[in-house]
Amino acid sequence: MWETVAQAVINGLLIGGIYALVSIGVTLIFGVVKIVNFAQGEFVMIGMYISFFLSSQFGIDPLASLLVTMPVLFVMGVLVQHFLIRRVLGPNDMPQIFLTFALSLLLLNLALMLFTANYRTVHTSYSDEAFHIAGLYIPVAKLIAFVVAMLLSGALWVFLHTTDLGKAMRAAAQNRDVATLMGINPNRVFCVALGIALALAGAAGSLLMPFYSAYPFVGQVFVLMAFVAVVLGTLGNVMGALIASLMMGIAESLGIQYVGADSGLIVVFAMLLLTLAFKPTGLGGGRVR
Amino acid sequence: MRGSKAWNGLWLTVLAVIVLALPLVVKSSFAIDIFIRILLFSFIGVAWNLMGGYAKQLSLGHAAYFGLGAYTSTILQIDFGISPWIGMIAGGVVAMTASLPIGWLCFRLRGPYFTIATIATAQALMLIFLKFRDLAWGAEGTTIPNLGSAPWMMQFETKAAYYYVALGLLVLGLVITWRIERSWMGYYLVAIGEDEDAAEAIGVNAPRIKRDIYLISSFLTALAGTFYIQYIYFIDPPTAFSFNISIEAALVSIVGGIGTLWGPVIGTILLETTSTLLQSWLGGSIGGVQLTVYSLILMAVILWRPTGLMGMMREAYQRYISRKPARA
Amino acid sequence: MKRDRKDSVDTGAGIKGTAPKRQGRRDFLIKTGGILAAGAFGAVPLRGWAADPVNIGALYPTTGSMAQIGVGCVAAAKLAVEMVNDAGGIKSLGGAKLNLIISDVQSDTTVTRTETDRLITGNKLSAIHGCFASALTLIASEVAERAKVPIITGSSSDQLNKGRTYTFTPFARASQFAKAQLQMAKLVSDTPKVAVIFENTAFGTSTSNGLKELAPGEGVEIVMFEPYSAGFTDASPLINKVKSSGANALFSVSYLNDLILIVRTVKQVGLNIAINGGSGGFVIPDFYKNVGKLAEGLQGVAHWNHDMNPDCEKVNAEYRKRTGEFLFEYAGGLVAQTFMIAHALERAGSADPQKVREALSALDVSSGYAAMAPGGKVKFGPDGKNVYGRPVGVQWQNGDLASVFPKEDARAPLLKT
C-alpha cells in the first residue's frame, strides 16, 4: 500500500518539475516586469512544435533540440517585451492583462491555423521506457525532464543571486524607480527577464516532447497549473514557484489517487482558492526573491 | 455628451425605429440569427461593462453567472414545469447570491490576480456541474423539450420573437447602465476604477460598491444565460460555463470602448460581423481564423486605441468640432 | 451609418496603425452591407449540377478539437455523393444528382445550433447527415426535428432515439457498444476484472454507464470505475490507480489525446493489461500514427469497419486512394448513410423532406451500399433505431483495423498479445 503512495508521490514530483519550469517563467516576469503573462503556455507549445519539427525533419532528439528552442524563445521574449509589453507598462491594468491574453489567443489560433488540431508525437528510444526500482517505476523521459528542469531552475537562481545582471533584475523587481536612479535600464532588464522566462517555457516544451504530444491547446493545460503555483508560491518568488509547483504536482497526483480521477483539478483549485482566501500573498512570505 | 438633447433624441428615435422594424423587413433567418447574436452579446457585454468597464474589475469569469442562470431556469423548467420567464429571474437571483461569496474571495485581490481568480471560479463551477449528475444531468446535458409554439415557456416558432426578447434584454441593460452612469454610484465606480486606494481615501466605500455592482452585473449576465439556452435548445456544462463567453463579454467591451454606454454594442457589431464574414468567405475550412482575427483586433485596440471604438469616434468628433471655425 | 472620416491627420501615437485600418473599414462596411443584404434577401447557395439537384446537408466539425475525425468524414461524404451520382443519381427523380452542402460545426455546440439552422433555412434540404459527436448531434437533431427535416447520424447517443420522429440512427447505440466491449473482455480472460476509466463529459459518461449496468449480466467484474478530466497533463496517477486495482483489462472511454497518453503510460509502467479503447478516437488512423507499434493487438469496438463485406472494401480502396488512409468507422458509416438517403429518395420519388422521412422510416435493405453495416441489414424501428444494428469488435493488426468479434463478423483471427 505504501508503494501506491510512494508511486503517486513520484509521479507528482516528476510532472511537478515541468510545472516548475512554466511557473518560474511566469513568476519571474511578474516579479520583474510586474505583469502576468497569460501567454506563457503558448510559448511552451511553440517550444514543443519546434522540437517536433526538428525531430521529424532532421531526426534531432528533443533533448538536443533544447539548444535550439531555448535561444529561439529567448529572442522571442526580447521581441515581445520590446515591441509589445513595453507599450502597455503604465498604471493602467487593463491593457497589460488583455495584451498578453490576446497574445495567448493569437498564438494558439495561429498554431491551429498552421498546424491543425492534429496531435504530433515523437518517439525516441527512451520514450516509453522506465526504471524499475524497489517495485516503483520511474519513466526515463520524465526523470530526465525533471533533472534538467531542476538544473535550469538552479542555474536561474545562481544567475539571479550572483551575477550583476541578475542582481539588477532583482533590484528592478523590488523597486523600479530606485533601480533606474542607480543606472539600471529597466527596459533592458525586462527584455532579459522575458527572454529567460520564455526560454524556460521553450525548455519545458522540448522536455515534454518525448512523452507528451504537441497540439495547439497543449499550453492551456500547463499554464493553469503554473498560475496556481505562482500564486501559491507568492508572486515574484522564484523559489516559491518551484516548491509550490512540486507540491501541486504531488497534491494533484494524490488527489487523483485517493479522491477521484477527475478531482485533480478540483484539488488544485481548492488549494488556490484557500490560499486566496486566507493568505493571498502566498506561502512564500510575500517577498520577491 | 454629444450635441444637443434634441439631436440625441432624433438619433435615438431613428435607431429605435430601425431596430424595431428590422425583423419585419429582413426575412432571411440567417440574418435574423446574426442580429440576435449581436443583441445577446451586446447585452452580455453591457452587463460585464458595468463592473469591468466602469469599475475596472476585470473579470474573465462571468460565464459562471451565465451558466448559473442557464441551469437554474432549465432545472426549474424540466424538473418543475416552471416557466423560463420566472426561471430567468430565479436564475438572476441565484447568480446574485453566488456573486457574494465569489466577490468576497476575488475582491481581496487586485489586478491580474482578480482576473485569474474569476477564471478559476468559473472553471470550478463547470467542474462541479460536470461531476454531479443528480444536480443537473452532469456531463451529458439535456435538450429543452420541444413544445412547438409556447410563448409562456419562452419557446417561439419564429425567430423574430427571439429577436424581440433579446432586444428587450439589451434595452434593459442599457437603461440600467445609463441610470447608473448618471448616479452617485456611477461616479463612485469610475473613481474606484481609476484608483481604488485614492477613492477609499476620500471616503468611497469601495468594498460595498464593488459588491453592489457585482450583484447587478451577475444578475444581468444570468438573464442572458437563460435566454441563450432557450434559443439553442441544449445545455451542458461546457456550453453554459464556456470560457469563450467570458472572453467575448470582455472583448466586445474593450474593443467597443470600455466604460462607455454604447461601447459593448458597437464592439459586438464589429466583432460579430467580422466573424460572420470570415465564416462565409472561408467557410470555416481553416480552424482558428476567427479567433486569430479577434485577438489581432484586440491587440490593435490595446496597443493603439485603448479607449476602443467609442474613443476613436469621440476623438474624431472632437477633431471635427475643432476644425469648424464657429458653431451656432 | 457613421460618415466616413476624410481626415488623415491624427494626434497621438500610433499613426501608422490607423490609416490602413480606416480604408479597410470602409471597404469592410461596404462588403458587410453587401453580404448582409444578400443574406437578408435569401442568398441562394451553391448550385452543383444541372437539372434539379437534390440537396443533402452534411454537418461535421472540420475545425476544433474533433477535426481529425471530421475532416475524414467530409472526404467520405464527398466520395459517397459522387458514387451515387456516377451510378445515375436518383432515377425516380429523373436522374437527379445529389448536391452535398457541407457545413463546419467547429466542434462547438453553439456553432452547431447556428449552422444547422443556417443550413436548413438557407437551402431546400431533403435530408441531413452528420455530427458523430453526441453533444453536437443532439443539438443538430433538435433543430432538424423542429424544422421537420430528417437527419441520419452515426452518433451512438441513446438520447437520440427518445421522443423524435425525424432522427435516424442506423448504427449501434452506446448501450450496445458497452455490451460488446464487455463480451470482448471475456476473449482475453475467463475471469475478466475490468478497470473502466472515462472522460467526464457526455461521451464518456453515457458509454461508461452502459458498461456499469451491463457488466453483472455479462459476468464481468468491474474493479474500478473512474471518471477523469479530459486533457490531463499526465496519465501516470490514473494508470497507477488502475494498477493498484488489480484489473486485467482496461476500458478507456476517451478522446484521442488522452488515449495516446494512456497507452504510452501503460507501456512505461510495464503494466501487462489488455486495453480496449472503445470507439471514437481509438479506431482512427491518427491513433496509430501517434502511438505506433504500441497499438498492435489493442482491441476496440466500432460501429462500422471496412472489412465487413466486399462493398465496404471497395469503398475503402477508393477512400484510400484519395486520402492515403483506411476508411474508419464514422467515415464509412456515412457513406452507407448517403446511400440510405438515396434509397429513400428513390422510394419517395420526391425531394420533399417529409416524404423522405417517411421513406426512411420504411427502409428495409439487406444488400448494396445502403446496407453496409455490421450484420448487413438496415431497418428502422419507430424510434429511429436500426433493429439490426450492432457494433463490431475490432483489433489493430499491422496498422489497420480487423474485425474480430462476434464470430459472424470476424474477418480475421484474434491476435493474442
Side-chain angles (χ1 to χ4, degrees):
Chain A
M1 205 235 72
W2 89 272
E3 243 181 43
T4 316
V5 178
Q7 185 68 65
V9 170
I10 290 182
N11 288 338
L13 198 61
L14 292 179
I15 199 73
I18 301 283
Y19 294 160
L21 275 184
V22 185
S23 65
I24 287 179
V26 174
T27 214
L28 185 66
I29 296 177
F30 181 72
V32 176
V33 189
K34 298 280 186 295
I35 67 160
V36 174
N37 182 12
F38 280 95
Q40 190 77 359
E42 276 57 60
F43 291 106
V44 175
M45 173 204 44
I46 293 179
M48 288 182 85
Y49 272 105
I50 294 179
S51 291
F52 172 73
F53 283 118
L54 288 176
S55 173
S56 60
Q57 302 287 47
F58 303 112
I60 299 179
D61 187 285
L63 293 179
S65 71
L66 272 174
L67 297 171
V68 174
T69 49
M70 286 184 76
V72 167
L73 272 126
F74 182 91
V75 170
M76 273 193 207
V78 174
L79 292 174
V80 165
Q81 158 60 24
H82 192 77
F83 290 108
L84 295 176
I85 296 181
R86 192 165 55 135
R87 308 174 78 128
V88 297
L89 290 177
N92 197 353
D93 267 341
M94 188 278 279
Q96 294 164 16
I97 295 177
F98 284 97
L99 180 65
T100 57
F101 187 75
L103 186 62
S104 158
L105 269 186
L106 178 66
L107 291 172
L108 199 158
N109 285 282
L110 272 180
L112 205 52
M113 275 172 64
L114 295 172
F115 308 127
T116 78
N118 289 338
Y119 299 97
R120 317 281 175 163
T121 317
V122 162
H123 289 273
T124 63
S125 53
Y126 53 90
S127 269
D128 302 311
E129 300 301 318
F131 294 122
H132 289 262
I133 305 175
L136 303 169
Y137 69 91
I138 304 180
V140 176
K142 286 190 190 151
L143 182 63
I144 297 178
F146 180 77
V147 170
V148 175
M150 294 300 111
L151 287 175
L152 287 174
S153 310
L156 177 65
W157 197 89
V158 167
F159 168 78
L160 285 176
H161 288 262
T162 59
T163 67
D164 284 343
L165 188 50
K167 289 188 205 166
M169 276 173 64
R170 285 167 56 221
Q174 287 181 3
N175 193 321
R176 191 179 303 175
D177 297 324
V178 172
T180 319
L181 286 174
M182 306 276 279
I184 295 174
N185 178 346
N187 190 45
R188 185 114 69 79
V189 166
F190 294 167
C191 282
V192 173
L194 255 303
I196 294 179
L198 263 50
L200 289 177
S206 294
L207 292 171
L208 277 170
M209 263 335 269
F211 59 90
Y212 209 78
S213 302
Y215 60 104
F217 296 92
V218 76
Q220 305 271 294
V221 178
F222 287 95
V223 88
L224 187 60
M225 302 304 264
F227 277 172
V228 178
V230 164
V231 173
L232 276 180
T234 304
L235 301 139
N237 188 330
V238 169
M239 215 17 72
L242 174 66
I243 297 181
S245 297
L246 298 177
M247 273 171 54
M248 269 174 48
I250 296 176
E252 189 192 19
S253 181
L254 289 173
I256 291 180
Q257 184 74 33
Y258 294 108
V259 178
D262 57 350
S263 309
L265 263 182
I266 293 185
V267 167
V268 166
F269 274 141
M271 283 170 80
L272 174 66
L273 292 173
L274 281 173
T275 312
L276 289 176
F278 297 109
K279 204 164 192 304
T281 50
L283 306 168
R287 261 205 291 141
V288 175
R289 261 189 233 122
Chain B
M1 264 201 335
R2 357 148 115 232
S4 63
K5 272 212 162 137
W7 194 233
N8 271 347
L10 182 63
W11 268 116
L12 270 177
T13 317
V14 170
L15 187 65
V17 167
I18 295 179
V19 164
L20 282 169
L22 215 44
L24 306 170
V25 170
V26 171
K27 283 306 174 194
S28 155
S29 189
F30 176 46
I32 298 194
D33 186 67
I34 299 178
F35 297 148
I36 295 178
R37 284 185 65 87
I38 291 180
L39 289 172
L40 181 66
F41 281 98
S42 302
F43 175 59
I44 298 176
V46 165
W48 182 92
N49 198 25
L50 280 172
M51 226 181 81
Y54 292 98
K56 300 283 192 293
Q57 304 298 309
L58 301 161
S59 155
L60 277 178
H62 263 58
Y65 307 108
F66 190 81
L68 282 174
Y71 266 103
T72 307
S73 68
T74 309
I75 292 175
L76 287 176
Q77 185 188 160
I78 296 188
D79 290 345
F80 300 102
I82 298 181
S83 159
W85 294 107
I86 302 179
M88 193 159 83
I89 308 291
V93 172
V94 169
M96 286 204 301
T97 317
S99 79
L100 290 171
I102 295 178
W104 175 80
L105 194 63
C106 298
F107 283 135
R108 296 156 72 108
L109 311 159
R110 300 293 183 83
Y113 312 104
F114 173 76
T115 309
I116 294 176
T118 57
I119 299 179
T121 46
Q123 282 282 86
L125 271 173
M126 169 153 58
L127 287 174
I128 292 176
F129 274 82
L130 274 176
K131 195 163 169 57
F132 296 112
R133 301 188 73 209
D134 316 313
L135 190 67
W137 309 280
E140 288 160 65
T142 184
T143 49
I144 307 285
N146 188 352
L147 298 169
S149 175
W152 62 95
M153 291 298 271
M154 220 193 275
Q155 273 195 51
F156 310 99
E157 264 184 350
T158 63
K159 277 252 168 80
Y162 287 100
Y163 173 94
Y164 287 118
V165 175
L167 181 61
L169 287 175
L170 178 60
V171 168
L172 174 70
L174 287 172
V175 165
I176 291 181
T177 306
W178 188 77
R179 294 298 306 273
I180 291 183
E181 232 188 11
R182 273 154 187 64
S183 71
W184 281 113
M185 188 182 217
Y187 292 120
Y188 289 155
L189 287 173
V190 173
I192 293 174
E194 302 248 335
D195 189 331
E196 190 166 333
D197 296 320
E200 283 199 300
I202 59 168
V204 174
N205 186 349
R208 204 198 65 186
I209 303 279
K210 288 199 285 193
R211 188 201 66 197
D212 290 346
I213 199 68
Y214 208 13
L215 286 172
I216 302 177
S217 184
S218 59
F219 181 84
L220 294 174
T221 311
L223 299 183
T226 300
F227 174 80
Y228 188 67
I229 300 306
Q230 290 301 118
Y231 186 53
I232 70 168
Y233 312 129
F234 175 74
I235 188 171
D236 68 357
T239 307
F241 294 101
S242 162
F243 189 41
N244 280 340
I245 303 225
S246 295
I247 297 178
E248 188 137 2
L251 195 64
V252 302
S253 305
I254 295 176
V255 169
I258 198 170
T260 65
L261 177 65
W262 293 100
V265 179
I266 298 188
T268 310
I269 293 179
L270 172 67
L271 290 174
E272 283 294 324
T273 324
T274 312
S275 134
T276 309
L277 286 175
L278 281 175
Q279 181 91 338
S280 56
W281 284 337
L282 300 170
S285 53
I286 311 177
V289 180
Q290 175 180 315
L291 280 177
T292 303
V293 173
Y294 274 22
S295 52
L296 283 170
I297 293 179
L298 183 59
M299 280 175 80
V301 167
I302 290 175
L303 290 172
W304 285 296
R305 282 286 180 275
T307 46
L309 287 173
M310 285 294 291
M312 285 198 264
M313 293 193 327
R314 200 164 291 174
E315 277 168 39
Y317 181 68
Q318 301 289 6
R319 271 196 309 277
Y320 175 71
I321 298 181
S322 57
R323 269 168 160 230
K324 297 232 162 150
R327 283 196 65 125
Chain C
M1 284 187 74
K2 316 284 175 201
R3 58 171 181 273
D4 287 326
R5 277 162 290 291
K6 305 282 193 287
D7 313 311
S8 54
V9 176
D10 196 358
T11 54
I15 298 175
K16 302 177 201 87
T18 44
K21 219 150 75 80
R22 277 195 210 133
Q23 288 289 52
R25 210 183 309 142
R26 198 188 312 173
D27 292 337
F28 165 79
L29 283 177
I30 294 176
K31 276 195 191 120
T32 315
I35 298 230
L36 281 184
F41 298 111
V44 186
L46 2 134
R47 286 252 169 85
W49 297 264
D52 287 86
V54 175
N55 292 330
I56 310 284
L59 291 160
Y60 290 101
T62 49
T63 58
S65 49
M66 306 186 196
Q68 285 114 334
I69 299 183
V71 167
C73 287
V74 167
K78 291 186 181 157
L79 170 60
V81 162
E82 274 178 40
M83 285 171 67
V84 170
N85 290 339
D86 289 344
I90 310 296
K91 296 172 195 63
S92 73
L93 288 174
K97 307 267 188 217
L98 290 184
N99 179 26
L100 186 68
I101 305 179
I102 304 174
S103 187
D104 174 20
V105 294
Q106 297 181 22
S107 313
D108 180 87
T109 44
T110 324
V111 177
T112 307
R113 166 78 173 83
T114 330
E115 282 303 301
T116 314
D117 216 32
R118 188 172 76 96
L119 203 64
I120 293 178
T121 52
N123 306 285
K124 278 183 37 152
L125 292 179
S126 302
I128 300 177
H129 64 82
C131 312
F132 53 88
S134 309
L136 306 181
T137 314
L138 279 172
I139 297 186
S141 138
E142 278 292 324
V143 180
E145 287 280 331
R146 286 163 210 248
K148 300 201 173 31
V149 174
I151 177 170
I152 184 167
T153 174
S155 162
S156 60
S157 168
D158 289 290
Q159 277 199 52
L160 287 167
N161 304 111
K162 299 204 183 109
R164 289 158 214 262
T165 45
Y166 280 81
T167 307
F168 296 93
T169 57
F171 301 113
R173 310 282 83 222
S175 34
Q176 292 172 294
F177 275 98
K179 201 161 187 200
Q181 243 181 317
L182 290 164
Q183 288 168 344
M184 286 176 82
K186 290 200 281 216
L187 293 175
V188 172
S189 146
D190 293 324
T191 50
K193 292 212 203 114
V194 177
V196 178
I197 59 180
F198 54 100
E199 60 92 31
N200 63 359
T201 70
F203 167 50
T205 24
S206 54
T207 315
S208 59
N209 274 320
L211 286 170
K212 188 153 63 156
E213 278 164 20
L214 297 169
E218 296 295 325
V220 173
E221 186 192 349
I222 294 189
V223 295
M224 176 177 155
F225 190 79
E226 276 299 326
Y228 69 84
S229 286
F232 41 54
T233 53
D234 184 16
S236 306
L238 195 56
I239 302 303
N240 203 29
K241 233 177 158 167
V242 170
K243 190 174 180 193
S244 52
S245 72
N248 56 17
L250 171 63
F251 286 0
S252 175
V253 190
S254 313
Y255 285 115
L256 182 61
N257 55 332
D258 299 333
L259 281 173
I260 298 174
L261 216 50
I262 288 172
V263 169
R264 296 178 78 182
T265 309
V266 166
K267 170 80 193 328
Q268 279 174 13
V269 176
L271 186 59
N272 194 3
I273 195 172
I275 304 180
N276 187 316
S279 71
F282 199 71
V283 293
I284 59 175
D286 247 356
F287 178 70
Y288 196 86
K289 264 203 272 202
N290 279 293
V291 170
K293 295 247 181 9
L294 292 179
E296 291 292 333
L298 294 186
Q299 293 168 27
V301 192
H303 65 238
W304 190 97
N305 200 15
H306 61 79
D307 60 0
M308 291 183 320
N309 65 38
D311 281 332
C312 302
E313 284 295 2
K314 255 193 273 178
V315 185
N316 180 34
E318 186 56 44
Y319 181 84
R320 244 213 149 98
K321 248 196 286 179
R322 293 172 180 222
T323 63
E325 288 169 357
F326 70 81
L327 189 57
F328 60 93
E329 56 166 356
Y330 288 116
L334 68 92
V335 174
Q337 287 168 7
T338 309
F339 276 91
M340 288 177 216
I341 295 177
H343 234 269
L345 282 164
E346 283 286 1
R347 293 198 47 199
S350 154
D352 177 67
Q354 298 190 328
K355 299 232 172 62
V356 173
R357 187 236 148 231
E358 271 154 40
L360 272 174
S361 59
L363 193 77
D364 190 351
V365 290
S366 47
S367 68
Y369 292 113
M372 290 194 292
K377 286 200 273 209
V378 178
K379 179 175 147 119
F380 292 113
D383 55 0
K385 247 195 276 196
N386 174 10
V387 300
Y388 301 112
R390 64 165 186 266
V392 57
V394 295
Q395 186 181 41
W396 282 100
Q397 296 179 359
N398 300 320
D400 201 338
L401 285 173
S403 305
V404 296
F405 180 87
K407 280 223 193 59
E408 23 329 353
D409 294 324
R411 302 280 177 267
L414 181 71
L415 275 183
K416 290 287 181 217
T417 42

